[in-house]
Amino acid sequence: MERATAGWGSGLLGVIIFSGSLPATRVAVADLSPTFLTSARAVIAALLGAVVLSVLRQRRPERRDLFPLALVAIGVVVGFPLLTALALQHITAAHSIVFIGMLPLATATFGVLRGGERPRAAFWVFSVIGAATVAGFALYGSGGGTLTGDLLMIAAILVCGLGYAEGATLSRRLGGWQVISWALLLSLPIMTVIALLTLPQTWTTVGVPAWLGLAYVSVFSMMVGFIFWYRGLALGGIAGVGQLQLLQPFFGFLLAAALLHEPIAWTMVVSTVIVVACVFGAKRFA
């Protein structure tokens, strides 16, 4: 019981930190290209991870860990940040946050495929209804969305779910912060090259808000948040703790409204409330 409680507490902290990712990305892509933002945040986080790994003298991953680490890198280091950055050029941060409601289903699905978990049938009923609600909003919701942006967000959710489940499985053996640090180091060479090739033509047009956005997604979204999130998934279960992502839209809505002054349509609130009920029902049977 204590292990599960610790997992849920750690997972909640991770969700709170992640809730600022999309608003911060929205601010950053106003002055920085999505490709540079994605590569730069990975490089900065990888350097931080390298320092921590070196200071604490962590052992290197085994050969069998390289493929799972590569999946983590593809999912959460490259795929999700790049796809969401591209999406946020077409949709508002408040609209994009609604798609986070699909993450519990994606994470749970990959938890079964890659983590060996077996939720009960009722879990999938609630999860599918919740995901269908979000998909329906994406198709018919009003304000802040485009087909291109919505499709990019759906792709981002799928690769992120894979990265979450793979990282959680590895965390049981390597530790949460070690997994994200090694995944970042694995992607460091290629991300460094991409960052150098996509440097802004001039730095004078990059405002302070964009720098703050880059700093947040580099330190908190790409590193600190995963320390708590992977620990939570490993201790409390991928499918169960993954449902905490349900709360992320609410935190994100508040941040988008407070920091970006973006309007929140009533359809967004209704859709998210329905998803909340569905995911809480799914949690009971996880």
Side-chain angles (χ1 to χ4, degrees):
M1 181 63 70
E2 291 182 1
R3 179 183 174 89
T5 301
W8 282 84
S10 183
L12 179 60
L13 286 174
V15 167
I16 292 173
I17 293 171
F18 289 151
S19 66
S21 299
L22 293 178
T25 299
R26 175 74 171 176
V27 170
V29 295
D31 296 335
L32 300 169
S33 73
T35 306
F36 174 76
L37 178 64
T38 301
S39 54
R41 66 187 280 180
V43 170
I44 294 170
L47 295 176
L48 291 175
V51 171
V52 177
L53 288 170
S54 177
V55 170
L56 297 181
R57 298 182 179 180
Q58 297 297 298
R59 64 180 179 86
R60 294 184 179 182
E62 300 176 12
R63 181 173 297 180
R64 60 173 176 159
D65 299 325
L66 293 180
F67 179 69
L69 283 173
L71 291 180
V72 173
I74 291 172
V76 303
V77 177
V78 181
F80 185 75
L82 178 59
L83 290 169
T84 52
L86 291 171
L88 287 168
Q89 292 188 318
H90 303 277
I91 60 179
T92 64
H95 182 79
S96 68
I97 290 168
V98 177
F99 285 87
I100 302 302
M102 297 177 65
L103 259 178
L105 177 59
T107 304
T109 300
F110 287 111
V112 170
L113 296 176
R114 300 293 300 177
E117 297 193 353
R118 294 294 181 268
R120 285 179 281 176
F123 169 88
W124 297 110
V125 174
F126 282 109
S127 293
V128 169
I129 293 174
T133 300
V134 176
F137 170 80
L139 186 61
Y140 300 109
S142 60
T146 66
L147 179 60
T148 300
D150 291 346
L151 290 176
L152 286 168
M153 282 303 303
I154 292 173
I157 294 305
L158 291 176
V159 298
C160 188
L162 172 60
Y164 280 171
E166 203 69 39
T169 303
L170 267 179
S171 295
R172 295 167 182 165
R173 187 170 68 255
L174 299 181
W177 70 268
Q178 292 92 334
V179 167
I180 190 61
S181 296
W182 288 119
L184 286 164
L185 283 177
L186 189 63
S187 63
L188 180 59
I190 187 172
M191 299 307 278
T192 300
V193 172
I194 294 174
L196 292 174
L197 292 176
T198 58
L199 286 171
Q201 294 182 349
T202 175
W203 299 103
T204 57
T205 58
V206 182
V208 173
W211 287 120
L212 293 176
L214 173 59
Y216 187 92
V217 297
S218 300
V219 178
F220 293 96
S221 303
M222 200 79 267
M223 187 68 182
V224 178
F226 280 103
I227 295 175
F228 296 105
W229 183 239
Y230 278 150
R231 180 175 182 271
L233 292 176
L235 292 177
I238 298 171
V241 175
Q243 307 311 304
L244 283 171
Q245 295 165 110
L246 155 74
L247 302 175
Q248 193 166 330
F250 291 105
F251 295 130
F253 284 150
L254 294 175
L255 286 172
L259 300 179
L260 305 179
H261 308 291
E262 293 184 358
I264 298 176
W266 67 268
T267 50
M268 290 184 183
V269 178
V270 172
S271 297
T272 305
V273 168
I274 295 174
V275 172
V276 166
C278 290
V279 178
F280 267 110
K283 172 185 173 296
R284 181 178 179 183
F285 298 97

